[in-house]
Amino acid sequence: MPQKPNIVFIFPDQQRGDAVGFSGNSKVKTPNLDKLASESVTFTRTSSTGPICMPARMSLMTGLPVTQHGLWANNLSGDSTLPSHVRNIAQAGYRTAQIGKVHFYVRAAGDGHSRDFTYRMHEWGWEDSLELRDITAYTNAECFYTDYLEKHGSLETLRNYIRTYVRGEAAGLLRPWETPPSLLPNDKDIDIFTADRSVEYIRNYDDDRPFYLQVLFPGPHNPFDSPADDRALYNPDEMPDAILEPTTGPTSPQVQRMRDVSHLENMTASQARQMRLYYYAKVTHVDTGVGMVIDALEAKGLMDNTWIIYTSDHGEMLGDHRCSHKALFYESALNIPLCIRPPGGTKPWKSRALTDHLDITETMLEIAEAPNMQEGTEYLSSVLSKIYNGPEAKSAQQGKQYVFSDIRLYSMVRDNRYKLVADSLTREPTELYDMNKDPNQLHNLVEDGDAQDIARKLTDPLNNHLDNLDLKKVEKYKVLLSNVARLVKYVYN
């Protein structure tokens, strides 16, 4: 029997869907991803199931929406008794591995080395694990990356930089467009370290089983500490402008809170372009790491028997609507890239089918011929048949009728044209947009009398989605909110 194909899942943190060359963005420099996309199917309307790190990652892992797995925000630890697509793929005969940032658990300062928590990675189904921490944790955290920097005499360089960044941002003295470049040599950066260890894994792999390797880049998540060499590739005057136009209609509490914590009310257009340059340069740096991984697969002759999937957990506001970070249902934070290359490649084409993280989970299970997930299956829909059937098939541009996303007790539903946001508990609508006429989401129609029929049509599927809400896990989230210190921490994570 021929061996099953390998699966390489490449997953950067906080990668906007429109900040890759293959999305049609002519300003960002992503040559390796563009080459990958030239042999792939790309999905242009893929949504995060929860546009913050931990909620999105938990949905991808479990195949469950946020309403069911219960991680409504960061700083709530994941429950490894939940379903795991990694465990299912391991049961299908794969050797499973992760290298990089997983971000499933709350880790306290100085709580030990990442190797002390490898058992948790095994509980989720990874046989091989090299877990890294979030970059801002490295003021005192220990893991395989700090071991590496200490060996090369660069650990204090990183720690001093991160201390300066964290203190400066917390005090409002360091704005995103003022972020200094990384002080580490380019080849000592955490994203290149992630790529190096992934290359090493591929190069040395000698198991008879196929492998499922997750390459989990910590970048381009803030701080946008892109190396000076990558910044030099860009001209700030050529950067796309942020969405700064005035909005009409009511401002939802969710949006207002993010504006308040972002402190970008006085940001100029040129400052927004500078911030975008630093982010784009970091995307380019991650792209270098992606190229290293692909080169390793080519060198070992694996490209004809390996699926490569590239996506992210959520996007980044980059000053759009005068917000930073994520945690909103604007496309800047919600839309993520999705590029799938089958073994041997395919003629490139794009699908506008509505897709989300849960579709990615199901697609990987189908590739691996792994057992199906046993919970939340009404949300799962593989895109594998689209890839096999090609761009001329009737279903090529047809995805889910609705996609959902949930974060911090707000929920979103969208169909092919409209997007509705509501309070997850009261179910009171707070935002409504016509994505065809208003792709930048400048006109909130939620109180527009002519749009009420549209809102009602979207309310039914959203209510059905929220009927599965786990109230016990909502209470855990409310406990988190009651602790002011932790609230401030999760806003900036």
Side-chain angles (χ1 to χ4, degrees):
M1 178 180 293
Q3 186 184 41
K4 292 181 179 180
N6 304 305
I7 305 170
V8 175
F9 181 73
I10 303 176
F11 192 75
D13 190 339
Q14 209 153 304
Q15 171 68 64
R16 277 174 68 122
D18 66 357
V20 285
F22 64 76
S23 70
N25 186 331
S26 63
K27 302 303 181 183
V28 69
K29 302 181 189 301
T30 53
N32 295 296
L33 285 169
D34 298 346
K35 180 182 177 183
L36 178 68
S38 72
E39 301 176 344
S40 304
V41 180
T42 53
F43 294 82
T44 61
R45 294 201 296 173
T46 302
S47 293
S48 171
T49 49
I52 308 181
C53 295
M54 291 178 73
R57 290 162 185 262
M58 191 57 62
S59 285
L60 188 64
M61 172 59 82
T62 63
L64 297 171
V66 173
T67 53
Q68 293 183 38
H69 67 60
L71 263 70
W72 286 88
N74 288 346
N75 293 328
L76 289 164
S77 284
D79 178 3
S80 61
T81 64
L82 288 170
S84 163
H85 81 266
V86 176
R87 281 199 298 266
N88 288 25
I89 289 177
Q91 291 171 23
Y94 280 74
R95 181 164 179 166
T96 56
Q98 67 79 211
I99 297 172
K101 178 182 174 181
V102 174
H103 204 181
F104 279 174
Y105 296 98
V106 178
R107 295 283 302 277
D111 64 355
H113 196 285
S114 286
R115 73 169 64 90
D116 301 330
F117 298 88
T118 300
Y119 72 93
R120 288 177 170 172
M121 301 300 103
H122 294 330
E123 288 174 351
W124 284 107
W126 283 298
E127 184 172 341
D128 304 314
S129 173
L130 194 149
E131 183 193 4
L132 303 183
R133 300 284 294 272
D134 184 85
I135 189 66
T136 55
Y138 287 125
T139 53
N140 54 17
E142 296 180 354
C143 78
F144 304 97
Y145 180 54
T146 56
D147 293 346
Y148 170 78
L149 290 183
E150 188 168 28
K151 178 180 177 181
H152 291 277
S154 301
L155 180 55
E156 283 309 305
T157 300
L158 173 68
R159 284 184 165 163
N160 288 334
Y161 180 100
I162 296 301
R163 289 186 190 109
T164 300
Y165 169 79
V166 171
R167 292 168 183 166
E169 187 186 48
L173 301 175
L174 184 65
R175 311 309 298 147
W177 54 86
E178 299 168 335
T179 307
S182 172
L183 300 179
L184 295 171
N186 282 13
D187 62 350
K188 302 295 187 295
D189 171 84
I190 192 168
D191 293 308
I192 300 304
F193 176 84
T194 302
D196 268 332
R197 292 302 174 270
S198 301
V199 167
E200 185 178 86
Y201 187 87
I202 294 166
R203 183 184 297 138
N204 296 331
Y205 193 79
D206 62 355
D207 200 304
D208 290 336
R209 293 172 290 172
F211 61 81
Y212 171 38
L213 170 63
Q214 291 194 351
V215 183
L216 309 171
F217 288 104
H221 190 289
N222 57 293
F224 304 144
D225 57 335
S226 37
D229 290 351
D230 291 302
R231 292 183 176 188
L233 298 173
Y234 291 94
N235 181 341
D237 295 332
E238 296 177 353
M239 292 295 96
D241 287 321
I243 300 170
L244 300 178
E245 295 92 331
T247 58
T248 62
T251 300
S252 78
Q254 182 188 23
V255 170
Q256 188 59 56
R257 179 174 66 178
M258 286 309 298
R259 286 182 182 172
D260 291 344
V261 301
S262 297
H263 303 296
L264 301 181
E265 59 275 5
N266 296 318
M267 178 185 66
T268 66
S270 62
Q271 288 169 336
R273 287 192 292 270
Q274 193 69 42
M275 171 170 40
R276 195 156 302 219
L277 185 154
Y278 293 166
Y279 176 81
Y280 278 19
K282 194 157 185 177
V283 169
T284 296
H285 194 62
V286 171
D287 180 80
T288 299
V290 172
M292 293 167 60
V293 174
I294 294 173
D295 287 347
L297 293 168
E298 290 178 339
K300 199 156 183 179
L302 297 175
M303 293 294 279
D304 289 339
N305 192 39
T306 299
W307 285 83
I308 301 176
I309 299 170
Y310 176 87
T311 189
S312 186
D313 46 0
H314 50 75
E316 156 63 47
M317 289 302 296
L318 280 185
D320 289 341
H321 301 275
R322 298 199 176 274
C323 294
S324 60
H325 305 330
K326 53 271 186 179
L328 295 169
F329 299 119
Y330 289 127
E331 289 297 284
S332 309
L334 185 74
N335 181 249
I336 52 175
L338 177 56
C339 174
I340 303 179
R341 181 194 183 275
T346 187
K347 183 177 179 180
W349 60 279
K350 294 184 178 182
S351 173
R352 285 180 49 78
L354 287 179
T355 50
D356 60 19
H357 280 135
L358 308 182
D359 298 331
I360 301 170
T361 301
E362 182 70 4
T363 299
M364 291 192 292
L365 289 170
E366 188 173 355
I367 289 170
E369 299 177 13
N372 293 327
M373 309 298 273
Q374 297 302 309
E375 298 180 38
T377 53
E378 67 271 21
Y379 292 97
L380 298 174
S381 177
S382 170
V383 300
L384 197 59
S385 63
K386 289 181 172 50
I387 296 169
Y388 284 145
N389 294 336
E392 305 305 322
K394 183 178 180 180
S395 63
Q397 304 299 329
Q398 297 175 355
K400 289 177 171 175
Q401 183 177 6
Y402 305 105
V403 293
F404 303 92
S405 187
D406 308 272
I407 207 71
R408 297 178 181 168
L409 299 183
Y410 286 91
S411 297
M412 180 219 77
V413 57
R414 71 164 295 177
D415 61 15
N416 271 315
R417 180 167 179 176
Y418 296 100
K419 178 187 292 187
L420 178 73
V421 179
D423 183 298
S424 307
L425 298 183
T426 67
R427 307 193 184 186
E428 184 69 25
T430 58
E431 298 174 73
L432 176 65
Y433 302 100
D434 183 335
M435 300 303 295
N436 287 358
K437 294 182 178 179
D438 182 27
N440 288 340
Q441 296 174 249
L442 294 170
H443 308 295
N444 184 2
L445 304 174
V446 74
E447 293 182 353
D448 188 323
D450 294 336
Q452 294 312 299
D453 284 346
I454 298 164
R456 280 190 288 270
K457 289 177 182 178
L458 289 173
T459 297
D460 283 345
L462 185 60
N463 283 339
N464 290 337
H465 169 73
L466 290 172
D467 284 344
N468 293 316
L469 188 149
D470 188 324
L471 290 175
K472 290 183 179 179
K473 292 176 179 176
V474 168
E475 290 305 314
K476 289 184 179 180
Y477 174 66
K478 288 182 175 179
V479 170
L480 171 64
L481 288 181
S482 68
N483 186 317
V484 175
R486 294 185 70 185
L487 171 61
V488 172
K489 181 180 178 183
Y490 91 71
V491 165
Y492 285 97
N493 272 357

